[in-house]
Amino acid sequence: MAEQFPELTERLHRFIDRQHMFFTATAAQGTRVNISPRSTDWFRILGPGRVAYLDRTGSGNETAAHLKADGRMTIMFCAVDGPPLILRLYGRGHVLHRDSAGYAEMLADDFAGQEVPLGARQIVILDVDLVQTSCGYGVPFFEYREERPSMDNWESKKGPDGLKEWWREENIFSMDGLPTGIDDPY
Amino acid sequence: MRTDALVIGAGPGGLAAAEALLAAGHTPVIAEAKPSPARKFLMAGKSGLNLTKDEPEPAFVSAYSDGSDALAESLAAFGPEAVQDWARGLGQAVFTGSTGRVFPKAMKASPLLRAWLARLDAGGADLRRRWRWTGWDGTAARFDTPEGPVSVAAGTTVLALGGGSWARLGSDGAWAEILAADSQPVLPFAPSNTGLAVSWSPHMTRHFGTPVKGARLSAGSSDSRGEFIVSKHGVEGGGIYAMSRAIRSGAPLVLDLAPDLSAEEITTRMRKAGAKQSLSNRLRKALKFEAVKTALLQEWARPLPQGAALAARIKALPVRHDGFRPIDEAISTTGGLSWEALDAALMLKARPGTFCAGEMIAWDAPTGGYLITGCLATGFRAGQGAAAWLNRAVA
């Protein structure tokens, strides 16, 4: 049976700490619904009702476009080992542009001690208005092995200029033509 | 590869040409250099896609400059009414703002573009992304594509290659060299509908982002009551854009901060406001000046005179600017392919079967819906010309 909470509890903090992967789901009026898997390497709990992740470069930039146009976002974790559980965080998200003052501050405060990847393109923040857990019985068992080296390799091959060019070419509009804001001057 | 019809450039002009070709029974290949189509169109829609201006034909057509009979005929065939019908036909309800400017109800460009692309796709148009046109091999068009170089032999071609600003969205004007090398008359690009650079004093910093309303700008024989915004780099917005042409020809730009009051009225009101008040208080009380107007007066008229001389300054404040902002920031550009290159059907005289459309041709218009309508209208005309060319070849 699903259980609802107004914010993240201690138990749920510990559950999130054990996860290696999460999913974000977003949409805006008239668009396709996007869902993306992400590594928890760059996920942070900022408070009982606020979470964030450092967003690395992707083929597209759907989440940012949807957050700009709409704002609704759901983050999902699900246990693939240990006790079964699915955790969903519902709320409204926004993007910190990489040239904004808030971005640099948050990198220094909340992502300190980790080398920022070359392809870090923005920070996504979710203000959570509902937390829900459900049984997770339907999720199969998996064993976590390691992070893929592919992203690091690709980013260093592209280099800073190549990445900027990539953002302009590939990350500037969503597949439905919404602006993502990545190229907005700051 | 071979195709009946080839459209190069998937902005509003090229897509309109593709639609006209489809309507005539031809299925075009559309080649776009960028990973996705109509990027500048989408960006134009960010703060509201102004599709056209709802006004009677003589006034509408007279907003365009550096045009030709072919442009006037394109606009007569596909003017404000047709643009609105076309948008409604794509399921986009439209509304007309108080100044006659027409927007889709959804405001943004993306729903309209999505519906348009879906309709072109359903009709059989074949959109190829990341195909960059690099010129001609004889009569075949050459492209750099992710699969390597491709040569396309087409029965007819429409070029809709865009203007020379916002290069990162695709309109980099790189085609101008190719056409010039083909001995087509190409005029240098110049910025239009663009902001002016101003080296502000530090006093202006707190006004960055503030709109200036209820003023009148004039330069040469042009004047405008349009708003403008004070920005970090200078002044920008509709009121300034409308002065582009006059400024380009060298006319000084003058600002009337109180266009609804005579100089005498200003002097009287200022006197009544009381001599013990600070100047900014008097300006606020007597003339209802917002802080930004007072700041502009201080910025451009220091040291401020008194009495009638001050009123004269308020009525005619010289705008001290450093010329246009860089061309790549301009909303549109003038220059490009000279009308001399084209016949009445928008066909290149020296390349029969090849037509041109949109901002690449050397016409100019202010913002307010004229630019997009101009692109659509010449796009449809070029597409119809291309279709007629194919049909004639068959006959």
Side-chain angles (χ1 to χ4, degrees):
Chain A
M1 197 184 77
E3 239 189 305
Q4 297 189 336
F5 309 87
E7 54 187 29
L8 285 166
T9 63
E10 253 325 289
R11 182 176 71 93
L12 297 176
H13 278 226
R14 288 197 300 275
F15 171 73
I16 290 173
D17 283 343
R18 289 197 301 275
Q19 304 309 309
H20 292 285
M21 182 162 70
F22 68 103
F23 300 84
T24 57
T26 52
Q29 196 189 357
T31 69
R32 293 166 179 85
V33 177
N34 182 66
I35 178 158
S36 295
R38 304 175 189 282
S39 162
T40 52
D41 268 9
W42 295 99
F43 184 88
R44 291 291 181 274
I45 299 169
L46 304 179
R50 196 166 228 224
V51 299
Y53 65 91
L54 180 70
D55 187 34
R56 297 182 71 170
T57 304
S59 312
N61 197 7
E62 298 294 305
T63 306
H66 291 167
L67 291 182
K68 210 172 156 63
D70 185 305
R72 289 169 303 151
M73 175 159 80
T74 302
I75 285 181
M76 185 188 81
F77 299 88
C78 56
V80 296
D81 58 8
L85 190 75
I86 296 170
L87 168 63
R88 289 185 178 87
L89 312 178
Y90 301 90
R92 299 193 67 79
H94 70 275
V95 168
L96 279 186
H97 193 282
R98 71 191 306 278
D99 295 332
S100 69
Y103 177 86
E105 256 171 53
M106 191 168 275
L107 271 190
D109 294 349
D110 298 301
F111 295 91
Q114 247 177 311
E115 195 186 333
V116 177
L118 208 53
R121 60 179 176 182
Q122 58 213 354
I123 291 173
V124 176
I125 297 174
L126 176 68
D127 285 305
V128 181
D129 55 36
L130 180 69
V131 175
Q132 180 173 290
T133 57
S134 50
C135 66
Y137 294 171
V139 184
F141 277 121
F142 275 100
E143 211 161 283
Y144 173 77
R145 206 161 74 219
E146 60 189 354
E147 298 294 314
R148 287 175 197 267
S150 325
M151 185 68 102
D152 288 338
N153 294 345
W154 181 81
E155 286 175 355
S156 51
K157 213 172 85 190
K158 279 269 163 200
D161 290 346
L163 283 162
K164 276 199 182 121
E165 180 63 24
W166 179 270
W167 296 333
R168 274 188 189 159
E169 284 291 298
E170 311 292 340
N171 289 171
I172 189 170
F173 292 110
S174 76
M175 63 194 295
D176 293 305
L178 294 174
T180 65
I182 198 164
D183 199 35
D184 285 358
Y186 230 89
Chain B
M1 72 183 273
R2 297 194 145 272
T3 180
D4 268 3
L6 172 66
V7 175
I8 308 180
L15 295 176
E19 183 153 294
L21 281 158
L22 280 174
H26 304 288
T27 51
V29 170
I30 310 170
E32 167 58 47
K34 287 285 172 182
S36 64
R39 292 183 161 214
K40 194 175 168 192
F41 184 72
L42 286 170
M43 215 46 107
K46 248 176 99 170
S47 51
L49 182 72
N50 187 186
L51 283 169
T52 191
K53 182 123 177 215
D54 195 1
E55 61 187 4
E57 197 195 304
F60 184 79
V61 175
S62 70
Y64 293 79
S65 46
D66 304 334
S68 71
D69 290 349
L71 178 65
E73 285 162 24
S74 306
L75 293 168
F78 199 82
E81 282 296 320
V83 171
Q84 294 176 64
D85 287 344
W86 166 80
R88 288 188 203 106
L90 287 166
Q92 298 298 309
V94 295
F95 74 95
T96 304
S98 57
T99 52
R101 300 195 299 163
V102 178
F103 300 87
K105 280 225 169 86
M107 286 308 278
K108 291 189 296 269
S110 49
L112 183 138
L113 179 66
R114 238 177 293 153
W116 196 9
L117 291 171
R119 186 162 83 186
L120 293 172
D121 185 61
D126 179 6
L127 174 61
R128 304 296 180 104
R129 297 149 201 253
R130 301 172 207 270
W131 275 37
R132 175 167 286 279
W133 181 57
T134 56
W136 287 287
D137 270 333
T139 54
R142 252 186 357 242
F143 295 91
D144 279 344
T145 79
E147 291 78 40
V150 171
S151 176
V152 180
T156 186
T157 301
V158 177
L159 302 178
L161 302 166
S165 64
W166 288 81
R168 66 181 186 278
L169 298 178
S171 41
D172 58 13
W175 58 266
E177 266 181 46
I178 301 174
L179 289 198
D182 192 51
S183 304
Q184 305 288 345
V186 177
L187 308 168
F189 290 115
S192 185
N193 297 307
T194 186
L196 293 169
V198 179
S199 321
W200 298 117
S201 74
H203 301 290
M204 291 302 292
T205 312
R206 67 192 184 92
H207 300 288
F208 292 168
T210 310
V212 180
K213 299 175 186 187
R216 175 169 41 219
L217 288 155
S218 55
S221 56
S222 312
D223 70 305
S224 162
R225 294 287 298 255
E227 281 182 34
F228 62 94
I229 289 175
V230 172
S231 75
K232 186 175 167 188
H233 301 294
V235 285
E236 59 191 58
I240 299 287
Y241 304 158
M243 302 292 105
S244 299
R245 197 177 159 73
I247 295 167
R248 215 167 26 241
S249 70
L253 180 61
V254 178
L255 179 61
D256 180 348
L257 288 168
D260 298 319
L261 299 175
S262 68
E264 294 73 32
E265 179 69 21
I266 291 171
T267 312
T268 313
R269 286 192 185 195
M270 286 293 281
R271 199 185 308 124
K272 278 187 194 155
K276 287 203 177 65
Q277 302 275 340
S278 74
L279 178 71
S280 56
N281 255 346
R282 277 191 291 152
L283 288 167
R284 185 168 53 81
K285 284 185 180 168
L287 308 177
K288 297 192 167 57
F289 271 21
E290 289 125 359
V292 67
K293 279 191 177 175
T294 305
L296 287 175
L297 187 63
Q298 299 273 17
E299 184 76 4
W300 286 327
R302 254 184 199 287
L304 288 183
Q306 297 290 319
L310 179 65
R313 269 301 152 90
I314 289 169
K315 293 295 289 173
L317 182 64
V319 174
R320 284 198 229 120
H321 64 83
D322 306 326
F324 292 119
R325 294 280 303 152
I327 186 165
D328 197 45
E329 290 175 17
I331 289 179
S332 61
T333 51
T334 66
L337 183 69
S338 163
W339 286 105
E340 285 169 29
L342 300 169
D343 71 7
L346 303 180
M347 185 171 80
L348 283 175
K349 292 173 190 163
R351 272 200 180 262
T354 297
F355 297 76
C356 296
E359 208 192 328
M360 68 178 290
I361 309 171
W363 52 276
D364 190 19
T367 56
Y370 303 105
L371 294 164
I372 288 177
T373 299
C375 290
L376 291 170
T378 52
F380 276 108
R381 187 175 183 87
Q384 283 158 358
W389 175 264
L390 284 177
N391 292 342
R392 190 177 62 178
V394 170

